[in-house]
Structures are given as C-alpha cells and as structure tokens.
C-alpha cells in the first residue's frame, strides 16, 4: 500500500482545493451542482445520518462510540389519549428513542432511523467477515491518499485499509441487498468512481464494498472490485471525465451557467414507453 496520511474527517473534507469522489460526481452533473457542493450548500439527509452512525459504530470496534447517546421520546402534548409528558411507544409497546450525536446535533437520528440502526448493528455483530477484519493488527481506519491522475490532483479516503493484505473496505448502507438495486446505487452514488480512485491512489489490489441493509430484519453482503472489473473500467472513465470537468469549472461563477443549445437523451422510462407502444424514434 502506498503512503497515506492520518487526518481528521473535517480536515479531509474541508480541503476542497483537491477533489474527491463527491466533488467528481458533482462536476459530472453540472457547474451548478459543483458550485453548490464547493459552497457547502448540500444537505445531510436522514439516510446519510444513518450511514454516519453505522460508520462510527464499525470504526469504533463494532461498539457505539461515547459521543452517541440515546434520548427517549416523549409526547409534548396529549395525543391519542396519552397525556403530555408520557413516553412514546412503538406498535409493540416498546419505548421510542433517538440516537443523539453529542459532537454534531445536526446528525441526530430520527426514532425510525434509530430503530433501523439497532437492527443493522445486530446484523454487523453477527457477520464474521467484518468482525474478524476489525481484529486484524494491520488495520488502518480512514487513511487519506493524495496523488495525481493524468496530471490532475485528487484524493481518496477508504473506510478501512490493511497494511499487509493490500485490500480496502468501504462500508455502505443500502435500502436493499438485491443485486439489481445495489447495481443501481453503485452507479448513481459513484461507487465505481470511488473504487477506481482508491485503487489508483493507494496501490491496493481490491476494494470490498460491505453493504448493510436498512431492511427489517437487516442483513449484510459484500462485493469486490478489482482492477479487472468492469466497474473499475467504468469508474476510470467517469473519474477522469469528472476531474476534467472539475478543473474546467471550479472557478465558474453563478452567472456563467448558461449552456446554450443542448441535446437531451431519451431516458430509460421514455424509451420503454415508446417501445411498448411501437413508437419509432
């Protein structure tokens, strides 16, 4: 594995002069998306908060970190015959609670996501793959890799790396473990780009994508991307295209988004609609 540095997650993300996977994906969409990302105007969704919690849980040795605490939910006013101040209960009569991030309240989980988190933690604790990986002596948590691809500076930060076996692990939450659903997420969320960047910058042989589903009951699955994978090839193409777009548009102002005349491709749903009705393009 190539040289890496250890830095805080804030230090890594605040350095937006060097693009990462997230930057590349925004650049692939449009200059407007890129500007919004660079200006810090992206929103952390409830699903993203759940992912943050699960990452913290695994990277803390499959234990809930001390900065995550629980807070029981109470009715603020009388509701459905229950007096104000009484505890909220789920459909099985169990008290509802929320996981609270003491370091960043903006990442607090909703009661519904907190219930999912419990199921997901149980699935992780019963998976020998991730449990044994966390016990390895050569484990490195969130190393940062910096380098260049075709002369363009770029960075990557895998969740877990291993000094001796030359493999990486990426932890991902997903709504479904169905291969077709994961394939859609793989492209939509740019995991192919992530795999390419991490392999190129770290010199590792493969990336294990470790998926934890938010279905109930939760489950786990893993998918390996190596240099001979079609996902690596696709990620390379998109990463280079996105890097070029980033360096061409990173200084674009809000007044410079006009694109003139453009061509809009037929979407999958539109193509399916035409095919079902015998409409020729």
């Amino acid at each position: 594995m190539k040289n890496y540095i250890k830095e805080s997650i804030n230090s890594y993300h605040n350095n937006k002069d060097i693009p990462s996977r997230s930057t590349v994906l925004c650049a692939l969409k449009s200059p407007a998306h890129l500007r919004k990302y660079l200006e810090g105007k992206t929103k952390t969704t409830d699903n993203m908060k759940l992912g943050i919690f699960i990452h913290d849980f695994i990277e803390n040795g499959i234990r809930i970190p001390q900065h995550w605490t629980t807070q029981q939910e109470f009715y603020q006013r009388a509701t459905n015959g229950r007096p104000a101040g009484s505890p909220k209960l789920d459909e099985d009569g169990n008290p509802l609670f929320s996981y609270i991030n003491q370091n960043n309240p903006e990442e607090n989980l909703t009661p519904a996501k907190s219930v999912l988190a419990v199921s997901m933690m149980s699935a992780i604790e019963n998976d020998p793959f991730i449990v044994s990986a966390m016990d390895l002596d050569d484990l490195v948590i969130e190393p940062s890799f910096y380098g260049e691809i075709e002369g363009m500076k770029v960075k990557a930060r895998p969740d877990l790396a291993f000094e001796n076996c030359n493999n990486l692990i990426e932890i991902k939450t997903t709504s479904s473990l169905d291969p077709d659903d994961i394939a859609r997420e793989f492209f939509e969320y740019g995991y192919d780009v992530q795999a390419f960047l991490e392999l190129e910058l770290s010199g590792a042989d493969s990336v294990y994508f470790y998926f934890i589903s938010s279905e109930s009951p939760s489950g786990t699955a893993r998918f390996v991307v190596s240099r001979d994978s079609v996902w690596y090839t696709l990620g390379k193409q998109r990463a280079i295209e996105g890097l070029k777009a980033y360096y061409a548009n990173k200084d674009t102002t809000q007044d410079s988004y006009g694109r003139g005349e453009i061509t809009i491709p037929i979407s999958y749903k539109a193509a399916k609609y035409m095919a079902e009705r015998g409409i020729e393009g």
Side-chain angles (χ1 to χ4, degrees):
M1 190 164 61
K2 296 179 182 178
N3 292 334
Y4 60 86
I5 65 172
K6 291 291 293 179
E7 61 181 332
S8 70
I9 189 68
N10 288 335
S11 174
Y12 177 81
H13 285 301
N14 288 340
N15 180 7
K16 293 186 177 180
D17 289 333
I18 300 179
S20 62
R21 175 198 61 146
S22 298
T23 324
V24 167
L25 293 180
C26 289
L28 282 171
K29 292 179 180 178
S30 73
H33 284 89
L34 176 61
R35 177 56 47 198
K36 184 177 181 181
Y37 175 77
L38 294 177
E39 292 175 352
K41 296 180 180 179
T42 53
K43 181 181 179 181
T44 303
T45 65
D46 287 343
N47 285 333
M48 292 168 66
K49 295 173 186 177
L50 178 60
I52 291 169
F53 176 86
I54 292 299
H55 272 76
D56 286 355
F57 173 73
I58 292 177
E59 293 174 358
N60 192 51
I62 311 186
R63 296 185 300 272
I64 299 175
Q66 290 185 348
H67 67 272
W68 282 98
T69 59
T70 57
Q71 176 178 289
Q72 192 170 352
E73 297 291 316
F74 296 91
Y75 288 107
Q76 300 298 315
R77 57 181 181 273
T79 305
N80 297 328
R82 298 187 63 82
S86 61
K88 293 183 179 180
L89 305 176
D90 64 18
E91 57 186 20
D92 296 322
N94 300 312
L96 284 176
F97 70 96
S98 299
Y99 281 111
I100 305 300
N101 188 340
Q102 300 293 339
N103 292 344
N104 187 356
E106 292 184 358
E107 295 175 355
N108 293 348
L109 301 189
T110 64
K113 295 300 182 184
S114 297
V115 170
L116 285 176
V118 172
S119 177
M120 295 169 78
M121 286 188 289
S122 177
I124 293 165
E125 290 169 337
N126 288 286
D127 188 336
F129 170 80
I130 197 66
V131 171
S132 60
M134 295 304 297
D135 286 337
L136 294 177
D137 293 335
D138 63 339
L139 169 66
V140 182
I141 296 177
E142 293 190 336
S144 296
F145 294 92
Y146 291 81
E148 293 186 0
I149 293 176
E150 294 195 359
M152 296 176 286
K153 291 182 178 180
V154 66
K155 62 184 178 182
R157 184 182 173 96
D159 291 321
L160 307 174
F162 303 89
E163 294 277 10
N164 299 328
C165 67
N166 215 28
N167 291 324
L168 310 173
I169 294 180
E170 272 298 333
I171 302 162
K172 303 296 182 186
T173 55
T174 179
S175 59
S176 168
L177 294 179
D178 182 275
D180 289 334
D181 293 334
I182 289 180
R184 176 187 56 78
E185 291 182 356
F186 221 85
F187 183 84
E188 181 178 339
Y189 300 147
Y191 298 159
D192 56 324
V193 172
Q194 186 170 26
F196 168 74
L197 293 178
E198 291 182 359
L199 290 176
E200 285 301 296
L201 297 182
S202 71
D205 297 323
S206 57
V207 183
Y208 285 77
F209 283 84
Y210 180 70
F211 292 95
I212 310 106
S213 75
S214 57
E215 298 171 306
S216 184
S218 184
T220 63
R222 54 189 187 272
F223 176 69
V224 185
V225 177
S226 56
R227 296 174 189 275
D228 59 357
S229 167
V230 65
W231 286 108
Y232 174 88
T233 303
L234 177 61
K236 178 180 180 178
Q237 173 67 34
R238 296 215 295 158
I240 292 174
E241 181 182 340
L243 284 170
K244 290 179 178 178
Y246 165 78
Y247 281 104
N249 296 304
K250 64 185 181 72
D251 297 321
T252 301
T253 65
Q254 186 68 37
D255 298 330
S256 305
Y257 292 154
R259 292 189 172 189
E261 184 174 337
I262 62 174
T263 300
I264 300 176
I266 294 294
S267 69
Y268 168 77
K269 288 185 178 180
K272 182 180 178 182
Y273 179 92
M274 293 171 66
E276 290 174 346
R277 291 160 177 75
I279 302 173
E280 297 184 1

